[in-house]
Amino acid sequence: MEIKTALLNITKTQNSKIDQVDFSNLPFGKTFSDHMMYCDFVDGEWQQPQIVPYGPMQFDPSTKVFHYGQAVFEGMKAFKDEDDQVWLFRPERNFERINKSSKRLAIPEFPKEYFMESLKTLLTLDHEWVKKGQGNSLYIRPFVIATENGVAAAPSTSYRFMIITCPARAYYDVPIRVLFSEKYSRAANGGVGFAKAAGNYGAQFFPTNIAKSKGYEQIIWTDARTHEYLEEAGTMNMFFRINDKIITAPVSDRILNGVTRDSVIQLAKDNNIEVEVAPVEVKRIKEAAKKGELLEIFGTGTAATIAQVLGFEHGGFVHELPKLKNPYGGFFKKKLQDIQYNRAEDIHGWRFGGY
Amino acid sequence: MEIKTALLNITKTQNSKIDQVDFSNLPFGKTFSDHMMYCDFVDGEWQQPQIVPYGPMQFDPSTKVFHYGQAVFEGMKAFKDEDDQVWLFRPERNFERINKSSKRLAIPEFPKEYFMESLKTLLTLDHEWVKKGQGNSLYIRPFVIATENGVAAAPSTSYRFMIITCPARAYYDVPIRVLFSEKYSRAANGGVGFAKAAGNYGAQFFPTNIAKSKGYEQIIWTDARTHEYLEEAGTMNMFFRINDKIITAPVSDRILNGVTRDSVIQLAKDNNIEVEVAPVEVKRIKEAAKKGELLEIFGTGTAATIAQVLGFEHGGFVHELPKLKNPYGGFFKKKLQDIQYNRAEDIHGWRFGGY
């Protein structure tokens, strides 16, 4: 497959690793495909993007990203249809969001043509790394890191934008149980919660470990001010089904504007499922649970697509959700995957590519 | 100088860079001394610390610190007295705090003897990098980064603890003007504000750039909930002098427990200066300013020691502080430096080392 582009400089691998990979046994995010993209911002501008064999790079110990967490990322997936064509899902959303994240972290915005052309080139070069079949995908991780050497607490003058990809099977295979946070917080008003800033994630690991020790895989974060409103789960936005209506928190400067979240809201509208986008009071959810009206909780995110929640705990109140025959979560998951794998009509133009 | 220690493995440089350094012209944090320490956490334990020549290291693009900001740091300084002895200032405080930060970021705690022995060894090997004379110091940057390869959003299984050092002159040479934050926030209740987490710093760069464009070098962060209380300046704790009393915010889960802050409170007590540790209402500071009773604002931090504030702005209210002949800020700075440079009696046992 020949690739012609003046935008990128391409060095193909001489030693594909693909034959060493067991695609039936892939822990998430540990195996990377043959190529990656990097692009340096120096002297006030983004240089030519480089497509090179995946591999380690040298960094000075004073590199700013190590000290000041000036870094943002995105998560995307590519899917292969039965005709061996590879598709992205709403990649412009991820492009817009990484630049929004970058802006908040004082990182220069990245050019759109570099982003889109790099994705196309990587998916063409590493076409064989995207496997057909339900649940299989190529997880795509664009990220930007501050690369200036020096420990002064000031924005970096140089950056590296990278895209790495890894073959993936379903992220959350099993349904999860969640803990509603009562003490720890993910984001402040006027902070960086809406951004996919690296530091937002590291900050969640300790409280999540505590939740795990109690038997809960994830925390649903509540607002830092009162802990009375459910916000997001850190890697997923959350939906709550009361009777036949689904409720999700509005995006804000604390809550990430998830692509899957947005798509589920649209799919609900398309299918005459009532959606309420409003602050989700813990009290309301607990009361609905007690009355038997809380039928589902599910999370939405690129890695998980839809993760069905089995039960939750809050303030000593433990609740198991009913096991529905046809949950909305499963319905939305199928709708999304049918579009992603090019098995269904795509009325909103979400599918992109066909590489 | 012979160094014997079974704790550390030492590889000395064959090519000291010291003769290439212009010690009279040192931008902060850009020039590093000959040696560094690194120590890897793998297989559930900290391995033997390695002292090696300062230089770049290889990292996989999927290294967790790049993606999830799982990283913490400390800032310390070493000072040389007139007899060529090198001293640290309350290093146990930094040791305790980096482990407190690590714990919140789900990073394993580091052994004390490794920390102290590494400092001693680095200061002995790089003794010539610590220059005598007021304002000169060796800035010491211990930090820990998550080093596992992989993009799953979960705590790393491996870490690297490092100590790098750089010769420094005074950090804030000139007094500064500050903006009291009205919109942006640094930390949430239940968040990581009390920790020296890497992500706390990158998150401040964008709002600080806005402040700089208005002529203010720093932001004094207010509480995310109401923006009515002054908290800290991101790299400094803040003190406000009203008449003859100094006021500073209590430490909390949002506010860093600064070593210089603690030392200034103690020095104030030693010298019969009244100290009030209480939430600092913006309104109170502005009213005192209007009445002419706000005599000083100064910041305290390892990098700056004491940074005197010339003026502030809040909500369109601009105030210039009076120019005092003998400000408390200068008094505390001299007291601290006299202890740090071994020119004064050290009644609290803050000086450490004598390498």
Side-chain angles (χ1 to χ4, degrees):
Chain A
M1 205 167 301
E2 198 186 355
I3 293 169
K4 282 190 193 155
T5 169
L7 274 184
L8 318 178
N9 186 37
I10 300 170
T11 307
K12 289 189 202 177
T13 185
Q14 299 302 310
N15 299 294
S16 174
K17 300 166 297 188
I18 197 165
D19 292 337
Q20 300 157 33
V21 176
D22 176 4
F23 281 87
S24 65
N25 181 19
L26 285 168
F28 181 78
K30 293 294 283 182
T31 305
F32 294 88
S33 51
D34 282 330
H35 297 88
M36 64 181 185
M37 182 278 269
Y38 75 89
C39 180
D40 285 331
F41 181 91
V42 286
D43 300 331
E45 59 185 340
W46 291 103
Q47 308 297 310
Q48 189 185 29
Q50 306 290 317
I51 305 277
V52 296
Y54 186 91
M57 296 178 140
Q58 279 208 327
F59 291 91
D60 194 85
S62 72
T63 304
K64 289 223 171 171
V65 65
F66 295 144
H67 301 267
Y68 302 124
Q70 201 187 3
V72 299
F73 71 95
E74 270 301 320
M76 310 168 66
K77 275 182 177 173
F79 306 90
K80 191 173 258 182
D81 69 18
E82 289 305 310
D83 295 327
D84 274 332
Q85 282 194 300
V86 172
W87 302 93
L88 291 164
F89 185 74
R90 311 185 77 181
E92 299 205 353
R93 285 287 183 127
N94 300 95
F95 170 73
E96 285 159 13
R97 194 170 59 187
I98 200 167
N99 274 348
K100 204 174 161 196
S101 298
S102 285
K103 192 177 171 197
R104 181 60 181 82
L105 272 286
I107 296 171
E109 293 177 45
F110 194 64
K112 187 172 183 179
E113 57 180 353
Y114 283 1
F115 184 80
M116 299 308 288
E117 194 66 18
S118 296
L119 288 173
K120 181 182 170 185
T121 306
L122 288 172
L123 291 174
T124 306
L125 281 172
D126 290 336
H127 204 259
E128 292 308 306
W129 289 82
V130 200
K131 295 299 179 191
K132 275 195 277 204
Q134 181 64 39
N136 292 323
S137 64
L138 190 74
Y139 182 80
I140 301 168
R141 170 56 58 90
F143 64 105
V144 199
I145 53 176
T147 51
E148 185 185 348
N149 299 343
V151 296
S156 182
T157 54
S158 62
Y159 297 89
R160 181 165 289 170
F161 194 109
M162 297 192 70
I163 303 178
I164 58 178
T165 70
C166 49
R169 294 175 68 81
Y171 191 52
Y172 297 106
D173 289 286
V174 287
I176 57 172
R177 284 185 169 78
V178 298
L179 192 64
F180 296 174
S181 185
E182 292 175 83
K183 178 184 169 191
Y184 292 104
S185 305
R186 182 184 166 275
N189 287 322
V192 298
F194 70 93
K196 283 188 90 74
N200 288 344
Y201 295 79
Q204 296 179 51
F205 293 159
F206 174 73
T208 304
N209 280 350
I210 296 174
K212 283 186 176 162
S213 73
K214 293 179 182 167
Y216 298 95
E217 285 82 7
Q218 298 258 317
I219 290 172
I220 302 186
W221 299 99
T222 46
D223 68 295
R225 180 170 174 163
T226 66
H227 294 293
E228 287 173 9
Y229 292 89
L230 292 157
E231 302 209 316
E232 59 154 289
T235 62
M236 300 188 292
N237 296 107
M238 298 307 300
F239 286 77
F240 303 84
R241 175 180 173 185
I242 296 180
N243 294 321
D244 288 341
K245 179 161 77 171
I246 56 172
I247 305 155
T248 193
V251 297
S252 69
D253 63 354
R254 297 185 308 273
I255 303 181
L256 193 82
N257 187 358
V259 179
T260 314
R261 172 190 177 280
D262 183 80
S263 306
V264 164
I265 291 171
Q266 185 60 53
L267 287 173
K269 288 177 183 165
D270 294 349
N271 291 279
N272 297 312
I273 294 171
E274 194 185 349
V275 192
E276 181 186 332
V277 179
V280 183
E281 217 178 343
V282 174
K283 202 163 60 180
R284 179 182 180 192
I285 299 305
K286 285 169 80 172
E287 277 168 12
K290 286 172 192 166
K291 286 190 210 158
E293 294 175 356
L294 181 71
L295 301 187
E296 289 179 61
I297 301 176
F298 56 87
T300 62
T302 292
T305 312
I306 304 276
Q308 204 76 28
V309 173
L310 289 178
F312 71 87
E313 179 180 336
H314 177 264
F317 176 77
V318 177
H319 184 75
E320 283 290 295
L321 287 155
K323 289 190 183 16
L324 304 185
K325 216 168 171 181
N326 296 301
Y328 281 177
F331 173 79
F332 290 125
K333 187 168 191 172
K334 184 171 184 325
K335 285 277 178 199
L336 283 169
Q337 291 182 331
D338 282 350
I339 297 168
Q340 290 168 337
Y341 287 96
N342 193 18
R343 295 185 300 237
E345 201 191 346
D346 175 27
I347 59 170
H348 298 293
W350 289 343
R351 212 161 39 225
F352 185 93
Y355 309 118
Chain B
M1 207 167 302
E2 197 184 356
I3 293 169
K4 281 189 194 155
T5 168
L7 275 184
L8 318 177
N9 186 37
I10 300 170
T11 308
K12 290 189 200 176
T13 186
Q14 299 302 311
N15 299 294
S16 174
K17 300 167 297 188
I18 197 164
D19 292 337
Q20 299 156 33
V21 176
D22 176 4
F23 282 86
S24 65
N25 180 20
L26 286 169
F28 180 78
K30 294 294 281 181
T31 305
F32 294 88
S33 51
D34 282 329
H35 297 88
M36 63 182 185
M37 182 278 270
Y38 75 90
C39 179
D40 285 332
F41 182 90
V42 286
D43 300 331
E45 60 185 341
W46 291 103
Q47 308 297 309
Q48 189 186 30
Q50 306 290 317
I51 304 276
V52 296
Y54 186 91
M57 295 176 143
Q58 279 209 327
F59 291 91
D60 194 85
S62 72
T63 304
K64 289 224 171 171
V65 65
F66 295 144
H67 301 267
Y68 302 124
Q70 201 187 3
V72 299
F73 71 93
E74 270 301 322
M76 310 167 67
K77 276 183 176 171
F79 306 89
K80 193 172 255 181
D81 70 16
E82 289 304 310
D83 295 328
D84 273 331
Q85 282 194 300
V86 173
W87 301 93
L88 291 164
F89 185 74
R90 310 186 77 182
E92 299 205 354
R93 285 285 182 131
N94 301 95
F95 170 74
E96 286 159 13
R97 194 170 59 186
I98 200 166
N99 275 348
K100 204 174 161 194
S101 299
S102 285
K103 193 177 170 197
R104 181 60 181 82
L105 272 285
I107 296 170
E109 293 176 45
F110 195 65
K112 186 170 182 181
E113 59 180 351
Y114 284 1
F115 184 80
M116 299 308 288
E117 193 67 18
S118 295
L119 288 173
K120 181 182 168 185
T121 306
L122 288 171
L123 291 174
T124 307
L125 281 171
D126 289 336
H127 203 257
E128 291 309 305
W129 288 82
V130 201
K131 295 299 180 190
K132 274 193 279 202
Q134 181 64 38
N136 292 324
S137 64
L138 190 74
Y139 182 79
I140 301 168
R141 168 57 58 90
F143 64 106
V144 199
I145 54 176
T147 51
E148 185 185 347
N149 299 342
V151 296
S156 183
T157 54
S158 62
Y159 298 89
R160 181 164 290 171
F161 194 110
M162 297 192 70
I163 303 178
I164 58 178
T165 68
C166 48
R169 297 176 65 82
Y171 191 49
Y172 298 106
D173 288 287
V174 286
I176 57 173
R177 284 186 169 77
V178 298
L179 192 64
F180 295 174
S181 184
E182 291 175 84
K183 177 184 171 192
Y184 292 105
S185 304
R186 181 184 167 274
N189 287 322
V192 298
F194 70 92
K196 283 188 89 76
N200 287 344
Y201 295 79
Q204 296 179 52
F205 292 160
F206 175 72
T208 304
N209 279 350
I210 296 174
K212 283 186 177 163
S213 72
K214 294 180 181 167
Y216 298 94
E217 286 82 8
Q218 299 259 315
I219 290 172
I220 301 185
W221 299 99
T222 47
D223 67 296
R225 181 171 174 161
T226 65
H227 294 294
E228 287 174 9
Y229 293 88
L230 293 158
E231 301 210 316
E232 60 154 289
T235 60
M236 299 189 293
N237 296 107
M238 299 306 301
F239 286 79
F240 302 85
R241 175 180 172 185
I242 296 181
N243 294 323
D244 287 340
K245 178 160 77 171
I246 56 173
I247 305 155
T248 194
V251 296
S252 69
D253 63 354
R254 297 186 309 273
I255 303 181
L256 193 82
N257 187 358
V259 179
T260 313
R261 172 188 177 280
D262 183 80
S263 305
V264 163
I265 291 171
Q266 184 61 53
L267 287 173
K269 288 176 184 167
D270 294 349
N271 290 276
N272 298 312
I273 294 171
E274 194 185 350
V275 193
E276 181 185 333
V277 178
V280 183
E281 216 178 347
V282 173
K283 202 163 61 180
R284 179 182 179 192
I285 298 304
K286 284 168 80 171
E287 278 168 13
K290 286 171 192 167
K291 286 191 211 157
E293 293 175 358
L294 181 72
L295 302 187
E296 289 179 62
I297 301 176
F298 56 87
T300 62
T302 293
T305 311
I306 304 277
Q308 204 78 27
V309 173
L310 288 178
F312 71 88
E313 179 179 337
H314 177 263
F317 176 78
V318 178
H319 184 76
E320 283 290 297
L321 288 155
K323 290 193 185 11
L324 304 185
K325 216 168 173 182
N326 297 301
Y328 282 176
F331 173 79
F332 290 125
K333 187 168 190 172
K334 184 171 187 317
K335 285 275 177 200
L336 283 169
Q337 291 181 332
D338 282 349
I339 296 168
Q340 289 167 336
Y341 288 97
N342 192 17
R343 294 186 300 237
E345 200 191 348
D346 174 28
I347 59 169
H348 298 292
W350 289 342
R351 212 163 38 224
F352 185 92
Y355 308 118

